[in-house]
Amino acid sequence: MWRGPRTGLWGAAGVVALGFLIALEIAARHYGQPGPITNQAREVIFAPKSGFLLYAGMALMMVVLTWRQRFIAAGAAIGIDIAFAVVRWAVDARVTDGHPFGNGALWVMLGYAVIAVTRRTGRERVLLLKGVGLGLLLLAGRKTGDIWLLITSRTRPGVLDQYVATADHALGNPSWLMGRIVTATGPIGSNLLNIVYSQLAVAAVVVALYQLRNVAAERRFPRHHLVRTFLVIGLLGPATYMIFPVVGPVFAYGTGLEHWSSVGLWPEGPPSGQWAVADLWPRTLPPISTPHPMPFDEVTPRNCMPSLHTAWAVAIFIHSRKGPRTLRFAGTFWLLATLGATLGFGYHYGVDLIVGVVFTLTVEAALRSSDRGWDRAGVRLVAYGTTVFAALLVSYRYLPLEMARHPWLYGPLLILTMISVIYGYVRTTALWEPKSAPARQPEPRLELV
């Protein structure tokens, strides 16, 4: 049996991931909600929450298959979804929540997991299990994220939005400006940005598929790719939610989801306007006053600091830089549109986005340093990014009033601090890039004597 030096690492990672899912399942049950394992198991039969995400996960799994196997897998998934649709129509089971497709993709992934265990051996078994694991990890990341948001709302009754909104005066309160712009665009602009915002994982899969396009031919995964960064961001980011709980301006200074009810953007939810400081967003800027922690409901997620949508969009942008022009353009568009959506929907403040950029570059630098071997430049960059990340959180918590009173000092300082991390990342990673290969010399020819 074949055993590689990284097989043990993959196995250990699988055990840790399983343990983490079980812990979240227990925590969710404690709060009277199904956990990530239960929610994923339900999608084997019931309508999935996101059919697009399931097919994106299957697409990731298929990078290890040959083209013939890919066509068979895609055909099987579509055929199973058609069968499910026929059965639902026959029994008059209407899909009221989620998508009427996607079960087939999950069945195909689980089927290939069985094939890997029963019909493959050695290197081929490991490669196929890695492919299946990659697809299932994308799904598990979504499910665990939902449970994390539930935990933040139940365990953090107080939020720090007043501190962040006060500090955001240093940047000119960009969420209020973008909120007015998006509101003025009406249903068309709002729904377009909603597609970008909600399908961020699908965009990441598109970039990842380009990076992993040679896996089937080379029979191995590259050492570093976007999916790793995407998952690590989703794993580490929610820890800061627990340290710095923030709900966002549309909730803390507005009417919450009711603000977007006129354009039919979000499903109905419990009202949250009674918990807000006042109905100010996005028409009236919040006054500059001494901030205080404020109580909030046990439903709204505390998922603002840092902005993980910004972090993921930055990761997509970084990893799309080495692709063709179309992919680079798409990565740039997704980043700009995501920044507009996070601010325009009132989910984040401007200072959240700055922390999100610093967070992503630090995570990306740490992963790349771990793959290539830690050197002085890598250690220095990760240490600097971590220090800046912590300093920003501390300044938002303890210096927001000073930042609001001196915007011409602290606003540029915040931007320059973020730019310094960007510059450090670009400069350090440029040193890691392989130098251009020397010109190939012509082979010597044999002379006739």
Side-chain angles (χ1 to χ4, degrees):
M1 180 179 291
W2 177 85
R3 296 183 183 275
R6 299 173 64 86
T7 304
L9 181 61
W10 276 86
V15 172
V16 172
L18 179 60
F20 182 65
L21 289 174
I22 294 175
L24 286 180
E25 182 76 23
I26 296 173
R29 294 287 182 177
H30 175 73
Y31 293 112
Q33 298 291 330
I37 299 176
T38 301
N39 285 332
Q40 193 62 73
R42 283 175 54 86
E43 293 186 350
V44 175
I45 301 297
F46 297 99
K49 183 175 182 180
S50 176
F52 294 107
L53 188 66
L54 285 167
Y55 271 93
M58 187 184 73
L60 279 180
M61 183 269 295
M62 290 196 299
V63 298
V64 304
L65 305 179
T66 64
W67 278 108
R68 179 177 178 273
Q69 293 169 337
R70 291 170 185 173
F71 284 121
I72 293 174
I78 295 173
I80 294 172
D81 275 334
I82 293 175
F84 267 86
V86 171
V87 171
R88 289 186 182 117
W89 173 80
V91 300
D92 196 22
R94 297 180 180 180
V95 178
T96 57
D97 185 22
H99 292 152
F101 61 91
N103 305 92
L106 182 57
W107 277 56
V108 167
M109 283 188 283
L110 296 177
Y112 268 100
V114 174
I115 291 173
V117 174
T118 60
R119 305 293 298 273
R120 297 289 189 270
T121 58
R123 183 188 296 268
E124 292 300 315
R125 172 185 289 176
V126 173
L127 184 66
L128 186 52
L129 285 176
K130 285 181 180 180
V132 174
L134 201 62
L136 293 179
L137 276 176
L138 182 68
L139 308 180
R142 175 67 176 267
K143 301 303 180 185
T144 56
D146 293 342
I147 300 304
W148 262 117
L149 298 184
L150 169 69
I151 293 175
T152 62
S153 63
R154 298 295 180 87
T155 61
R156 292 296 180 268
V159 297
L160 304 178
D161 280 77
Q162 293 187 29
Y163 294 86
V164 182
T166 303
D168 212 39
H169 280 281
L171 299 176
N173 298 99
S175 180
W176 268 255
L177 173 61
M178 286 300 303
R180 290 195 292 269
I181 293 175
V182 174
T183 301
T185 62
I188 297 177
S190 301
N191 283 280
L192 177 62
L193 284 180
N194 180 41
I195 293 174
V196 174
Y197 189 85
S198 60
Q199 300 301 330
L200 191 63
V202 177
V205 170
V206 173
V207 177
L209 289 177
Y210 174 80
Q211 293 180 320
L212 303 175
R213 65 193 183 280
N214 295 324
V215 170
E218 298 177 354
R219 312 311 293 166
R220 64 180 181 84
F221 279 85
R223 296 186 65 86
H224 183 55
H225 50 82
L226 174 59
V227 180
R228 298 179 67 221
T229 305
F230 214 80
L231 293 173
V232 171
I233 288 174
L235 180 64
L236 298 180
T240 311
Y241 295 166
M242 308 295 286
I243 301 172
F244 211 112
V246 183
V247 293
V250 71
F251 296 102
Y253 292 91
T255 57
L257 297 180
E258 294 179 7
H259 179 83
W260 301 109
S261 60
S262 61
V263 296
L265 192 59
W266 303 107
E268 294 184 2
S272 61
Q274 67 271 23
W275 297 93
V277 176
D279 185 6
L280 303 177
W281 189 90
R283 299 179 304 275
T284 306
L285 292 179
I288 299 177
S289 59
T290 303
H292 300 282
M294 54 184 284
F296 215 81
D297 62 29
E298 295 185 355
V299 177
T300 307
R302 281 67 163 146
N303 63 337
C304 282
M305 185 65 70
S307 169
L308 289 196
H309 266 79
T310 298
W312 283 320
V314 170
I316 291 173
F317 175 81
I318 292 173
H319 284 265
S320 66
R321 292 306 89 194
K322 292 185 178 181
R325 179 180 299 179
T326 303
L327 195 64
R328 296 197 303 270
F329 174 79
T332 303
F333 166 77
W334 223 270
L335 173 61
L336 296 178
T338 300
L339 295 179
T342 55
L343 293 172
F345 288 147
Y347 287 162
H348 292 281
Y349 305 88
V351 291
D352 302 349
L353 274 59
I354 290 179
V355 176
V357 172
V358 173
F359 177 69
T360 300
L361 296 178
T362 305
V363 169
E364 181 71 14
L367 289 174
R368 294 192 62 176
S369 296
S370 176
D371 286 333
R372 70 181 304 275
W374 289 91
D375 58 9
R376 181 176 299 179
V379 172
R380 184 167 56 241
L381 176 59
V382 173
Y384 180 67
T386 304
T387 302
V388 170
F389 179 82
L392 288 173
L393 294 181
V394 171
S395 64
Y396 298 162
R397 180 64 174 83
Y398 297 104
L399 296 175
L401 207 55
E402 292 297 319
M403 297 170 71
R405 289 172 176 171
H406 304 91
W408 295 107
L409 171 62
Y410 285 98
L413 184 60
L414 287 173
I415 299 298
L416 289 175
T417 301
M418 179 184 67
I419 292 176
S420 70
V421 178
I422 296 174
Y423 173 76
Y425 176 84
V426 172
R427 182 179 179 183
T428 302
T429 53
L431 298 176
W432 294 343
E433 294 298 328
K435 305 300 180 183
S436 57
R440 184 176 180 180
Q441 299 296 326
E443 296 181 2
R445 296 181 178 178
L446 296 176
E447 298 290 345
L448 291 176
V449 179

